[in-house]
C-alpha cells in the first residue's frame, strides 16, 4: 500500500537509471481485467499515458534483477491455478493453467476506487497445483532458490489525481506521481514486504538481511506492518522508495537500500549491458517454423503446421484470444521478440471495439495483453507483421476495415505493450472502404515493405510503402498506386508477400475477395522495385492462374511461406467466402503451378467461413473453418489457494 500525504519543501532526489538492452526479468503486464468489456474500470484503457508509464517502470524494475526462472507450462495431468486479487474489484480471482514464459512474471493490472488514503495495492500471486511432485516444485519455486512468483497483480486508485509524466517538470504539489507509486508496488510484487524470504529476516522491528544491513550500516527499522521500511527511512540523503508514505508532488526513485532488499529476498543483481560497438551483432536467425493460424467465427484460433510426414496438420494448440466475444479473429505471424520463433498477433473482427493481443510462439504465454487500437473503431481490422528498422524484431501494423478512413497504425512491441510510432491514411480520409495489408522485403534492403490494398466496394487499388521510410515515420510509396485487376472489380483485394522464386526478394501476390473470381496474380519483387517508374500492371508477371477454376465466385485468400525449407515460399490458398472447407498448398514458379496437397478441415460442407493466416514475411489472410479438439482443462487444486497482497 502506498499512502500519499501533503508536505511542503521536500527536496526531490533523482537516481540515474542503468542502461540495458532488455530487462533481465520480463514483467509482462496483462490489461484484460481492466477492460470495461470484462467488467473493469477502464483505467488503463482510458489513459494511454498511464499504460506507457507502467511499461517504463516495468522495464526498469525488471532490469534491476535477474534469475533463472523456469517456465510454467501445464500439460497432461500437470495443471495449476493462479490466484490473485482482481485489480478492478479487489476480489479473489483465479486463472486456470496460465502459461508463463521463462524469466517472466505475468502482472494483471487495473484500477478501482480505493477507500481512505490508499493510492495503490500490489503483490505477488498465489497458486494451487495438481500433478507430479516435480511439477508442483516448478509452480512453487520455478527452479530458483530465491523468491520466484509466477507474477501477481497491481491496482491503482481511479479517484487519485495522478501525474503520468516521464519527467518531473509538470509534477505539481497536489498530484501523485504514478512513476513513484508503480515503482513501489512492483517492489512489493518482487518480494519486498510480501515474500517469506523477507519476513524470515524481520526481527525485533528491523530487517536483518545482509545486503540491506551493509547498505544501511545497521539493521533497517521497518514499519508497523513489517512490510515496508519505517516512515522517513532515507539512504544517501534520499527517501527510500519502499517506505510506506510517498509524498505529493515528489518523485521517489529506487535507492541502493531498496535494491539491497531485492537481493536479500533471493534475486540476483543484474549486470549492466555494455552497448555493442561497430559492427553490430548479426540479427536473430529467421523464423523457420511455419505455423498456419485457423480462426473461426466463434473466436477460436487453431494452429496448423507441417507434421513429420510433410503434411499440413492440426498441432493440438488452440487459442481463444478474446474469450468474452464470439466473433471472427484476424491474425498475423511474426517474430516480435527476436528469439527466432514465430509469435502470433490477433485482432478482433467487425462489430466490436478493435483490440489486439500478441502471444509468444515459443511459450504460448501472452506477450501483449488485450490492447485497444484504431481509436476504438468497431468496423473490424487487419494485422500484419514485418521488420521495418532492421533490428531483427517485427513491428505490428494494423489497418481499419470497411467503415472509416483508410487508417494504418504502426506499433512496436516493447515491455509487454504496444507502442504506437506512426499512423497515416493510404487513400485519404474520405476513403471508407478499409484495406488489407501484408509485409515483405520486396526491395531486398533488409526492411519489410507494407503492401496496402483497397477493401470491398473500392476499385482494386494497391500501393507499396517503403519499409525504411516507415521506420522514419514517413509513408513513402515505392511507386505509384496501381489497379491489380480490372477497374470494375469491386470485391476487394487480398494481398500476400513471399519469395516464390528464391531470389531473395519477396514477391507480390494479389487475389480477389469474396464475390470475385479465383484469379491469382504474382509479380516478382525484384522486377517491381527495380522498375519504380513503370506501372506494376505493365510489368511482366511471374505467374497468373485460377486457384479454383474460372467459374468460382468465392474469391481466394492467399498466403506465402516456405513450408518445406527449400528457400522458396509455397502459396497457401483457400476460398475467401462461401461454405468451402479446403486449403490448398501450391508450388508456384514462372513455368508451372502444381498442387502439393489439399487439406479438408472438416467432413461437413456447410460451415462458417473463418480465417487462416500463414506468415508470409509478416502474414496474409486465408479463410476456412478450424479443425481439431478444443481443450478446456480444469485442474484439481491439490494445495490451498494463497495470495498475499500488501495493502
Amino acid at each position: 500500500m502506498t499512502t500519499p500525504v501533503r508536505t511542503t519543501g521536500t527536496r526531490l532526489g533523482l537516481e540515474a537509471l542503468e542502461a540495458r538492452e532488455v530487462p533481465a526479468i520480463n514483467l509482462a503486464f496483462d490489461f484484460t481485467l481492466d477492460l470495461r468489456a470484462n467488467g473493469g474500470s477502464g483505467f488503463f484503457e482510458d489513459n494511454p499515458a498511464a499504460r506507457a508509464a507502467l511499461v517504463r517502470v516495468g522495464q526498469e524494475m525488471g532490469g534491476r534483477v535477474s534469475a533463472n526462472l523456469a517456465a510454467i507450462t501445464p500439460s497432461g495431468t500437470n495443471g495449476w491455478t493462479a490466484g490473485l486479487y482482481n485489480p478492478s474489484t479487489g476480489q479473489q480471482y483465479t486463472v486456470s493453467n496460465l502459461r508463463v514464459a521463462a524469466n517472466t512474471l505475468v502482472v494483471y493490472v487495473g484500477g478501482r476506487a480505493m477507500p481512505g488514503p490508499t493510492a495503490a495495492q500490489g503483490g505477488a500471486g498465489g497458486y494451487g497445483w495438481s500433478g507430479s511432485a516435480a511439477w508442483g516444485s516448478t509452480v512453487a519455486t520455478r527452479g530458483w532458490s530465491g523468491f520466484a512468483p509466477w507474477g501477481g497483480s497491481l491496482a491503482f486508485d481511479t479517484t487519485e489525481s495522478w501525474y503520468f509524466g516521464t519527467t518531473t517538470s509538470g509534477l505539481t504539489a497536489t498530484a501523485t506521481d504514478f512513476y513513484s507509486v508503480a515503482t513501489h508496488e512492483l517492489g512489493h510484487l518482487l518480494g519486498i514486504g510480501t515474500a517469506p524470504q523477507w519476513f524470515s529476516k524481520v526481527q525485533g522491528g528491523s530487517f536483518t538481511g545482509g545486503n540491506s544491513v551493509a547498505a544501511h550500516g545497521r539493521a533497517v527499522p521497518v514499519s508497523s506492518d513489517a512490510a515496508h521500511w519505517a516512515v522517513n527511512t532515507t539512504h544517501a540523503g534520499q527517501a527510500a522508495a519502499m517506505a510506506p508514505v510517498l509524498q505529493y508532488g515528489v518523485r521517489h526513485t529506487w535507492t541502493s537500500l531498496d535494491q539491497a532488499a531485492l537481493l536479500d529476498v533471493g534475486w540476483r543483481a543484474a549486470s549492466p549491458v555494455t552497448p555493442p560497438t561497430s559492427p553490430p551483432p548479426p540479427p536473430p536467425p529467421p523464423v523457420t517454423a511455419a505455423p498456419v493460424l485457423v480462426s473461426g467465427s466463434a473466436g477460436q484460433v487453431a494452429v496448423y503446421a507441417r507434421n513429420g510426414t510433410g503434411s499440413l496438420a492440426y498441432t493440438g494448440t488452440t487459442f481463444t484470444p478474446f474469450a468474452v466475444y464470439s466473433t471472427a479473429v484476424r491474425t498475423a505471424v511474426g517474430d516480435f521478440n527476436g528469439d527466432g520463433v514465430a509469435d502470433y498477433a490477433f485482432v478482433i473482427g467487425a462489430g466490436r471495439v478493435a483490440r489486439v493481443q500478441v502471444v509468444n510462439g515459443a511459450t504460448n504465454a501472452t506477450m501483449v495483453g488485450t490492447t485497444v487500437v484504431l481509436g476504438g473503431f468497431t468496423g473490424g481490422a487487419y494485422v500484419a507483421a514485418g521488420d521495418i528498422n532492421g533490428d531483427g524484431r517485427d513491428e505490428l501494423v494494423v489497418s481499419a476495415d470497411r467503415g472509416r478512413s483508410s487508417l494504418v497504425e504502426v506499433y512496436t512491441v516493447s515491455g509487454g505493450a504496444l507502442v504506437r510510432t506512426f499512423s497515416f491514411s493510404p487513400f485519404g480520409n474520405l476513403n471508407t472502404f478499409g484495406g488489407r495489408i501484408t509485409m515483405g522485403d520486396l526491395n531486398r534492403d533488409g526492411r519489410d515493405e507494407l503492401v496496402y490494398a483497397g477493401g470491398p466496394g473500392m476499385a482494386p487499388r494497391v500501393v507499396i510503402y517503403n519499409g525504411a521510410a516507415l521506420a522514419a515515420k514517413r509513408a513513402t510509396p515505392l511507386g505509384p498506386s496501381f489497379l491489380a485487376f480490372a477497374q470494375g472489380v469491386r470485391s476487394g483485394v487480398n494481398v500476400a508477400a513471399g519469395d516464390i522464386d528464391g531470389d531473395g526478394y519477396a514477391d507480390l501476390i494479389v487475389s480477389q475477395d469474396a464475390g470475385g473470381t479465383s484469379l491469382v496474380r504474382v509479380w516478382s519483387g525484384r522486377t517491381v522495385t527495380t522498375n519504380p517508374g513503370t506501372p506494376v500492371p505493365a510489368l511482366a508477371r511471374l505467374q497468373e492462374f485460377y486457384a479454383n477454376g474460372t467459374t468460382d465466385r468465392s474469391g481466394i485468400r492467399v498466403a506465402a511461406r516456405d513450408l518445406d525449407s527449400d528457400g522458396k515460399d509455397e502459396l497457401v490458398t483457400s476460398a475467401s467466402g462461401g461454405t468451402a472447407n479446403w486449403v490448398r498448398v501450391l508450388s508456384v514458379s514462372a513455368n508451372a503451378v502444381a498442387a502439393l496437397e489439399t487439406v479438408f478441415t472438416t467432413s461437413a460442407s456447410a460451415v462458417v467461413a473463418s480465417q487462416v493466416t500463414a506468415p508470409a514475411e509478416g502474414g496474409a489472410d486465408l479463410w476456412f473453418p478450424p479443425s481439431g479438439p478444443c481443450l478446456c482443462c480444469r485442474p484439481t487444486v491439490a494445495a490451498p489457494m494463497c495470495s498475499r497482497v500488501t495493502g
Side-chain angles (χ1 to χ4, degrees):
M1 178 190 299
T2 57
T3 309
V5 296
R6 189 182 304 277
T7 62
T8 59
T10 303
R11 181 176 179 272
L12 178 67
L14 294 176
E15 178 185 35
L17 299 174
E18 296 174 342
R20 303 179 189 278
E21 288 182 342
V22 293
I25 293 297
N26 177 34
L27 296 173
F29 296 111
D30 190 307
F31 297 88
T32 54
L33 297 179
D34 176 66
L35 297 175
R36 288 193 179 85
N38 294 340
S41 67
F43 177 73
F44 287 95
E45 192 173 13
D46 296 338
N47 292 288
R51 190 184 187 111
L54 182 61
V55 169
R56 176 194 170 200
V57 175
Q59 291 172 329
E60 292 178 1
M61 292 297 289
R64 297 184 187 281
V65 294
S66 66
N68 293 318
L69 303 184
I72 303 177
T73 309
S75 64
T77 59
N78 290 331
W80 79 294
T81 302
L84 62 140
Y85 287 109
N86 186 322
S88 294
T89 66
Q91 302 301 309
Q92 290 186 354
Y93 185 85
T94 60
V95 181
S96 296
N97 286 331
L98 176 69
R99 291 178 178 268
V100 184
N103 295 329
T104 296
L105 306 184
V106 177
V107 185
Y108 290 87
V109 295
R112 66 178 186 272
M114 296 184 180
T118 302
Q121 290 182 330
Y127 59 87
W129 61 272
S130 63
S132 69
W135 164 248
S137 178
T138 296
V139 173
T141 70
R142 304 193 67 180
W144 184 246
S145 58
F147 185 55
W150 60 264
S153 63
L154 300 181
F156 296 87
D157 183 15
T158 56
T159 66
E160 194 70 35
S161 177
W162 292 107
Y163 171 73
F164 299 115
T166 57
T167 70
T168 58
S169 60
L171 180 57
T172 66
T174 59
T176 300
D177 184 39
F178 184 87
Y179 174 95
S180 301
V181 175
T183 297
H184 178 104
E185 297 304 335
L186 284 175
H188 282 316
L189 191 142
L190 290 172
I192 297 177
T194 58
Q197 292 88 340
W198 165 274
F199 289 103
S200 69
K201 297 177 176 65
V202 175
Q203 299 176 11
S206 294
F207 184 73
T208 61
N211 293 286
S212 299
V213 170
H216 196 61
R218 61 187 184 281
V220 189
V222 295
S223 60
S224 59
D225 64 1
H228 301 84
W229 304 131
V231 176
N232 297 326
T233 297
T234 62
H235 180 76
Q238 180 181 334
M242 294 309 297
V245 177
L246 302 183
Q247 301 158 341
Y248 284 117
V250 175
R251 174 151 296 180
H252 296 258
T253 56
W254 204 247
T255 69
S256 296
L257 177 60
D258 301 311
Q259 181 69 13
L262 291 180
L263 304 184
D264 284 328
V265 300
W267 296 103
R268 181 181 297 165
S271 300
V273 176
T274 302
T277 58
S278 182
V287 176
T288 56
V292 176
L293 302 185
V294 183
S295 60
S297 60
Q300 290 186 336
V301 181
V303 182
Y304 282 68
R306 279 282 175 92
N307 60 20
T309 64
S311 299
L312 194 65
Y314 175 58
T315 64
T317 298
T318 299
F319 299 99
T320 309
F322 309 105
V324 295
Y325 304 119
S326 294
T327 188
V329 176
R330 293 160 178 170
T331 62
V333 178
D335 185 7
F336 297 110
N337 58 5
D339 65 354
V341 178
D343 306 310
Y344 313 132
F346 308 110
V347 65
I348 202 164
R352 301 288 182 178
V353 171
R355 294 181 172 93
V356 167
Q357 188 179 122
V358 181
V359 170
N360 186 309
T363 65
N364 290 341
T366 299
M367 288 178 64
V368 177
T370 303
T371 303
V372 175
V373 295
L374 300 174
F377 175 59
T378 59
Y382 288 88
V383 284
D387 183 4
I388 62 175
N389 57 14
D391 66 351
R393 302 183 184 202
D394 285 339
E395 281 68 47
L396 183 70
V397 180
V398 184
S399 68
D401 201 353
R402 190 172 185 174
R404 68 163 298 165
S405 65
S406 56
L407 179 62
V408 169
E409 294 180 339
V410 181
Y411 292 88
T412 60
V413 178
S414 176
L418 295 181
V419 180
R420 190 174 69 178
T421 62
F422 183 45
S423 64
F424 64 100
S425 296
F427 295 146
N429 292 328
L430 297 181
N431 170 46
T432 59
F433 296 103
R436 286 77 187 279
I437 52 177
T438 192
M439 301 189 76
D441 187 6
L442 273 73
N443 60 3
R444 203 180 179 184
D445 66 348
R447 315 290 181 91
D448 287 329
E449 277 64 57
L450 172 68
V451 182
Y452 183 95
M458 180 182 174
R461 188 164 296 279
V462 176
V463 62
I464 304 169
Y465 289 97
N466 183 282
L470 290 176
K473 302 181 181 180
R474 300 192 310 271
T476 305
L478 286 181
S481 64
F482 62 93
L483 296 178
F485 300 102
Q487 173 79 27
V489 173
R490 291 293 190 272
S491 61
V493 179
N494 297 318
V495 288
D499 188 3
I500 300 299
D501 55 7
D503 65 353
Y505 292 77
D507 303 311
L508 175 64
I509 304 132
V510 298
S511 65
Q512 297 174 23
D513 204 0
T517 71
S518 66
L519 180 62
V520 177
R521 287 175 171 169
V522 183
W523 281 277
S524 161
R526 181 200 292 264
T527 300
V528 170
T529 57
T530 56
N531 294 277
T534 304
V536 170
L539 298 172
R541 296 177 194 128
L542 181 64
Q543 187 55 262
E544 178 178 293
F545 61 95
Y546 286 89
N548 198 39
T550 59
T551 61
D552 181 80
R553 290 297 183 271
S554 299
I556 289 291
R557 295 272 172 167
V558 289
R561 187 61 179 171
D562 185 5
L563 296 174
D564 55 8
S565 302
D566 67 348
K568 299 179 181 180
D569 285 345
E570 284 71 50
L571 277 190
V572 188
T573 65
S574 181
S576 193
T579 60
N581 62 339
W582 54 266
V583 58
R584 186 168 294 131
V585 180
L586 305 175
S587 174
V588 178
S589 69
N591 300 318
V593 177
L596 300 180
E597 65 174 317
T598 300
V599 177
F600 291 88
T601 62
T602 176
S603 58
S605 59
V607 294
V608 178
S610 55
Q611 182 180 26
V612 173
T613 306
E617 303 297 334
D621 298 327
L622 294 171
W623 291 78
F624 68 94
S627 176
C630 176
L631 302 178
C632 299
C633 303
R634 187 178 301 277
T636 300
V637 178
M641 190 65 61
C642 58
S643 184
R644 180 186 179 92
V645 175
T646 296

